[in-house]
Amino acid sequence: MTGPNYQSHSPPVYHIGHAGVGLLFDDRPVMQAARTNLKEIGEEILSLLPRPKAIIAFSGHFEAGEIHGPGVIEVNVKKNTYIQHDFVNDFHDRKPFVYEYDWPHRDTPELANDIWKHLHNAGIKAKRVERGVDHGVWVPFKVMFPEERPLDVPLIQVSTFHGYDLESQILLGEAIHSLRHEGYLIIGSLMAVHSFASKQEIADAPNKEKEATWAKVLSESRAFDTHLREAVTKRDANERREALLKLESLYEFRRSHPTVEHFTPLLAAAGAAGNADVVPLGVDLVEPGFSYLNLRFS
């Protein structure tokens, strides 16, 4: 009996806007729409044939540790991975129930070790670590793959590089591009715009300036989201790489990403996609300081 023919039909690559834990309980229209978008992507992934061997996930909350220095990637090889309640905000008084959230899933230390070897053979310094699944993955996956429609393939988390060398993140994706032909589904979980600093700027503005500050931040967020869409949806991998790297020179880039960890998983996903058709998925959602853009590379 032969196995699935992934060579002729490799799984796509996805970019998802993961939001925070509020995605699970916030009833604002933007969060309701974000949940709908992710549910539809989850249904799409569950319908893929042949079924993926495993999911390789890059998250805005899993950057290689600074202790390693630049140029090192971490691969999670832990057996029985737990859920990390690693939220930016302290919810113990306001929403203590968020620390009870769980998301049943499968891990695969054996395949994770294979990924580690693959990266090593590709000339990337890779270290094996044991950690939990961060909220950049389990929160959106809890929406995408609820208990009644669970994820039926195992999950492997791989870090992005530590630091600000954006081209290295694309090279990381290119190094795992061939794994798609082995049946791995690659997902970058991040935010196309992620700026708590901009949100705080609105909060700190005097009342008479608050509306104007809100409009300014929204304009910046929308502008960067638009530039990003234009860059990432280029089909030619080399043109896409050049366009994505040019985004760093934009004023709106630093405004949208005061730190880069929520941008780098997109670069890894884009690198893994190669020459691909790129399609935005779901309803367009941008608010001041945040964009919930979702993409499929196929």
Side-chain angles (χ1 to χ4, degrees):
M1 179 181 297
T2 60
N5 183 5
Y6 296 113
Q7 289 286 340
S8 61
H9 195 74
S10 300
V13 176
Y14 289 92
H15 155 293
I16 60 171
H18 69 229
V21 71
L23 179 71
L24 302 179
F25 60 80
D26 190 336
D27 282 331
R28 290 181 301 143
V30 64
M31 286 292 97
Q32 293 182 33
R35 286 194 290 270
T36 297
N37 285 348
L38 290 171
K39 287 176 182 176
E40 291 175 354
I41 295 171
E43 289 290 333
E44 181 174 302
I45 291 172
L46 289 173
S47 70
L48 292 175
L49 292 174
R51 299 300 298 134
K53 179 188 294 187
I55 289 177
I56 299 174
F58 296 99
S59 165
H61 296 276
F62 186 19
E63 183 182 64
E66 185 176 5
I67 189 172
H68 299 314
V72 176
I73 288 298
E74 296 178 0
V75 180
N76 188 20
V77 298
K78 183 172 178 57
K79 185 181 177 71
N80 299 323
T81 47
Y82 56 92
I83 295 305
Q84 294 183 171
H85 297 97
D86 55 338
F87 311 127
V88 174
N89 297 316
D90 183 342
F91 291 99
H92 286 88
D93 295 326
R94 296 181 293 120
K95 306 283 184 181
F97 59 84
V98 302
Y99 299 100
E100 299 176 10
Y101 282 138
D102 199 1
W103 176 62
H105 62 284
R106 293 165 51 197
D107 50 45
T108 173
E110 298 81 10
L111 292 181
N113 269 288
D114 288 347
I115 302 302
W116 168 77
K117 291 176 184 176
H118 177 88
L119 291 170
H120 179 76
N121 292 336
I124 292 176
K125 297 177 183 176
K127 295 185 179 293
R128 288 167 289 186
V129 299
E130 298 199 5
R131 71 192 298 273
V133 179
D134 63 71
H135 81 268
V137 173
W138 72 259
V139 165
F141 279 30
K142 189 175 178 69
V143 174
M144 294 162 65
F145 311 111
E147 290 185 11
E148 63 273 18
R149 292 278 284 161
L151 181 63
D152 59 344
V153 299
L155 171 70
I156 303 165
Q157 274 208 261
V158 177
S159 79
T160 53
F161 288 110
H162 176 78
Y164 284 78
D165 180 0
L166 299 187
E167 187 171 9
S168 70
Q169 313 290 355
I170 297 177
L171 294 175
L172 168 62
E174 291 174 350
I176 65 168
H177 168 76
S178 63
L179 292 175
R180 294 177 60 205
H181 304 314
E182 298 179 24
Y184 288 96
L185 172 68
I186 298 166
I187 297 179
S189 178
L190 58 142
M191 299 288 289
V193 175
H194 183 268
S195 180
F196 283 109
S198 295
K199 295 286 284 187
Q200 191 61 45
E201 183 177 326
I202 297 170
D204 293 342
N207 286 337
K208 63 181 181 180
E209 299 175 13
K210 204 171 289 290
E211 184 175 344
T213 305
W214 186 94
K216 176 178 76 74
V217 172
L218 177 60
S219 176
E220 293 167 348
S221 300
R222 171 59 70 185
F224 185 74
D225 180 271
T226 299
H227 287 304
L228 176 58
R229 287 171 184 262
E230 292 173 353
V232 77
T233 52
K234 294 183 182 299
R235 191 181 193 282
D236 180 81
N238 290 326
E239 290 183 9
R240 187 192 312 128
R241 172 211 284 253
E242 183 179 348
L244 286 171
L245 293 177
K246 283 183 178 178
L247 294 176
E248 189 178 13
S249 65
L250 297 174
Y251 163 78
E252 292 88 357
F253 178 83
R254 279 292 171 232
R255 294 289 296 165
S256 299
H257 292 282
T259 56
V260 296
E261 76 285 341
H262 273 75
F263 183 67
T264 52
L266 168 60
L267 301 178
N275 296 318
D277 292 321
V278 191
V279 181
L281 301 175
V283 177
D284 176 15
L285 299 172
V286 178
E287 59 179 344
F290 298 101
S291 165
Y292 305 89
L293 174 65
N294 302 291
L295 300 165
R296 182 206 310 118
F297 303 80
S298 61

